[in-house]
Amino acid sequence: MVTKKRKSESTDRVKIFGPSILLTIVGFIFAYQFVDPAPPKRVVIGTGSRQGAYYAYGKAYSEILAGNGITLEVRSTAGSAENIKLIESKSNGVDIAFVQGGMAPMAKTKKLVSLGSLYFEPLWIFQQTDFAFRHLSDLKGLRVAVGVEGSGTKILAMQLLGLNGITPKNTQILSDGGQQASDRLLNGELDVAFFVTTYRSAHLKKLLMSRSVKLMSLERAEAYALRYHYLYVFKLPEGVFDFDANIPSHDLTLVAPATQLVVRSDLHPALTNLLLQAAEKIHGAGGGFEKEGEFPSRKYLDFELSEEAKRFYKSGSPFLQRYLPFWVANFLERMKVMLLPLMVLLFPLFKLMPPIYRWRIRSKIYRWYSKLATIDFEAQKKTDTAQFDEYLSELEGLEETVSQISVPLAFAEELYHLRLHIDMLRNRLQQKRQREIRE
């Protein structure tokens, strides 16, 4: 009997709350269609040669992203120019790339955006010690290495040389770079060599310590920076690399493009924030020519800054990502659209459901009071014993029916009141019937 009553109560709850819950579920399913997809668990970053700084930094980013459940494949490339080609075409699988400042004109579409600049990569121009050039226009007719094809070094070198009238027609321009250009310069096979790299580069340190070549100060550096806004002008102080040997022997002026982190504009926003958080950890401490907290930066860019990156530089990491694991924060961020059905459906429904539920349960009790009141009213006008017997029989049937009603314990008092009132009316009719018989 108890089990039957419990089943009846459960059925009542399902009938009342079921439609509202179903409506809410439908609302959530509809809203889910507008939820952003989860970020991919595997992405590819284009770097540079395996011996270069880009590749080393790519590995550092890979370790940080791995800690957040993202596999970052580090792909070795020829450099910035190739990286742009790779990232522009989705079919190549590259999603992110290190790109040297000044490379934006090489992009064929506007689908590429920057997440910010990361660090300076100075332009180092080494010449044989026997030469004493002041301007790049003095290099006409010499053997000049400008970096390998597809590298940012060659793009920048050719831009600056072109401003000074240096072309392959009047100068022997060679596509050598990195270690190869360094070795050829030291062996006397080159007169001048251009390098765009960090001061930590092994072949750069070797050139700085050599007595057969020297670093050229870039005259008119401010003018170059005005022409190309992605260039930064700085002074290299005397003796900064070796105080004892006094290297360099005097103050020099250099220009430096900044390395940028470039992505396609459709990169998942959560990955953008994760990459920028990694950039803060890797480049935020500064060092070399960068001050602490100077990078990552929204300055020194020639690609448009992404909208998500703008929000990051303005407000920092998304609130949830500051305190929760990446995937948990991302899930909650994506699910915020689900608050709409929660507010529009759940709140009104569950404000209305309790009163409706109470009305539904009480209606199972109160509807019998109408029958009870009818018997009471009619019995007041009757004096026939047979009629009293009929009313008493109806009350017996009513009591039997009411005894089968199942309600939650919170409403049991009202059910027992009904049964008490039935009994009270029955007693009164029995007394009246007895009086009629005696009379």
Side-chain angles (χ1 to χ4, degrees):
M1 187 66 176
V2 173
T3 303
K4 186 177 179 180
K5 287 187 176 182
R6 287 178 178 172
K7 286 183 179 179
S8 177
E9 292 174 14
S10 299
T11 302
D12 286 333
R13 291 192 181 97
V14 170
K15 287 181 179 179
I16 296 171
F17 289 99
S20 60
I21 293 172
L22 181 60
L23 182 61
T24 303
I25 292 172
V26 171
F28 272 100
I29 293 173
F30 177 76
Y32 189 76
Q33 310 307 310
F34 301 94
V35 174
D36 291 331
K41 292 191 175 183
R42 180 184 175 278
V43 287
V44 180
I45 186 169
T47 57
S49 69
R50 290 181 178 271
Q51 294 75 36
Y54 287 179
Y55 192 83
Y57 280 126
K59 287 293 186 182
Y61 277 83
S62 177
E63 290 177 7
I64 293 177
L65 264 64
N68 290 278
I70 304 290
T71 299
L72 179 64
E73 179 188 328
V74 182
R75 185 173 297 181
S76 175
T77 69
S80 296
E82 184 183 2
N83 286 347
I84 289 178
K85 292 179 182 178
L86 291 172
I87 199 172
E88 277 191 310
S89 174
K90 283 189 176 183
S91 61
N92 290 313
V94 176
D95 308 285
I96 311 156
F98 293 114
V99 176
Q100 178 185 301
M103 303 298 292
M106 293 197 64
K108 296 179 180 179
T109 69
K110 295 185 180 294
K111 295 179 180 179
L112 303 188
V113 293
S114 176
L115 301 189
S117 55
L118 306 176
Y119 60 92
F120 292 124
E121 281 194 293
L123 171 64
W124 313 87
I125 306 175
F126 285 91
Q127 58 181 324
Q128 295 293 339
T129 307
D130 298 338
F131 299 128
F133 304 125
R134 291 189 63 246
H135 299 99
L136 293 182
S137 55
D138 298 331
L139 306 184
K140 190 176 296 183
L142 300 180
R143 298 168 298 175
V144 182
V146 294
V148 299
E149 292 292 340
S151 69
T153 301
K154 184 166 185 178
I155 301 298
L156 177 58
M158 293 307 294
Q159 285 176 337
L160 299 185
L161 290 173
L163 288 176
N164 289 274
I166 306 296
T167 69
K169 293 181 179 180
N170 57 35
T171 302
Q172 189 178 352
I173 295 177
L174 305 167
S175 296
D176 292 328
Q179 187 64 55
Q180 181 182 11
S182 175
D183 292 341
R184 293 193 67 186
L185 185 65
L186 292 172
N187 292 336
E189 299 173 25
L190 296 172
D191 299 315
V192 178
F194 286 69
F195 304 89
V196 176
T197 185
T198 69
Y199 74 98
R200 298 181 181 88
S201 173
H203 63 267
L204 179 69
K205 291 179 180 179
K206 189 175 181 180
L207 290 171
L208 288 168
M209 299 302 170
S210 172
R211 295 183 179 276
S212 63
V213 297
K214 62 182 179 181
L215 183 61
M216 180 179 175
S217 182
L218 190 62
E219 300 293 332
R220 301 187 292 190
E222 296 286 352
Y224 292 130
L226 281 175
R227 178 64 68 91
Y228 302 114
H229 291 171
Y230 59 85
L231 292 177
Y232 173 77
V233 179
F234 64 94
K235 301 292 183 181
L236 195 64
E238 177 182 347
V240 67
F241 291 115
D242 191 320
F243 282 87
D244 184 37
N246 197 33
I247 299 174
S249 59
H250 58 279
D251 292 350
L252 299 173
T253 302
L254 303 182
V255 295
T259 294
Q260 304 168 79
L261 200 57
V262 176
V263 302
R264 282 193 299 276
S265 57
D266 60 356
L267 184 73
H268 197 286
L271 281 182
T272 293
N273 285 294
L274 191 59
L275 286 166
L276 285 168
Q277 290 170 39
E280 281 189 332
K281 291 180 182 178
I282 295 170
H283 308 288
F289 303 106
E290 300 84 31
K291 298 176 183 177
E292 183 178 358
E294 186 175 7
F295 289 98
S297 171
R298 59 188 303 161
K299 298 189 294 184
Y300 317 115
L301 307 177
D302 54 341
F303 286 93
E304 183 180 353
L305 189 66
S306 82
E307 292 300 320
E308 195 66 30
K310 289 177 184 177
R311 284 189 285 270
F312 181 89
Y313 289 115
K314 182 179 180 180
S315 307
S317 301
F319 178 78
L320 293 177
Q321 288 191 26
R322 298 176 200 172
Y323 306 103
L324 297 173
F326 172 73
W327 286 104
V328 175
N330 178 253
F331 175 79
L332 294 176
E333 184 70 21
R334 290 167 52 231
M335 290 300 112
K336 64 184 180 183
V337 70
M338 305 299 281
L339 290 175
L340 183 62
L342 183 66
M343 300 299 294
V344 173
L345 296 174
L346 280 182
F347 183 74
L349 283 174
F350 283 91
K351 284 285 287 184
L352 292 173
M353 284 303 104
I356 292 175
Y357 179 69
R358 288 194 294 271
W359 173 82
R360 167 74 177 176
I361 297 301
R362 285 172 174 166
S363 68
K364 296 170 67 175
I365 300 171
Y366 293 159
R367 65 193 181 99
W368 298 109
Y369 273 103
S370 175
K371 179 68 173 176
L372 194 63
T374 300
I375 295 173
D376 187 21
F377 178 76
E378 292 182 356
Q380 297 295 330
K381 301 181 291 183
K382 303 292 182 180
T383 57
D384 187 351
T385 303
Q387 193 67 49
F388 280 122
D389 289 338
E390 184 180 335
Y391 290 146
L392 289 171
S393 177
E394 287 184 32
L395 288 175
E396 291 293 335
L398 180 58
E399 185 176 39
E400 177 65 25
T401 301
V402 169
S403 68
Q404 303 299 316
I405 296 175
S406 175
V407 294
L409 289 176
F411 300 89
E413 181 180 4
E414 296 173 47
L415 180 61
Y416 280 106
H417 279 164
L418 173 58
R419 297 180 69 177
L420 179 62
H421 293 154
I422 293 172
D423 190 54
M424 288 172 59
L425 181 57
R426 180 174 52 236
N427 289 338
R428 189 149 54 85
L429 291 181
Q430 286 175 342
Q431 292 173 6
K432 192 171 182 180
R433 177 178 179 277
Q434 291 297 328
R435 287 198 300 270
E436 292 294 333
I437 291 173
R438 286 197 297 269
E439 292 175 0

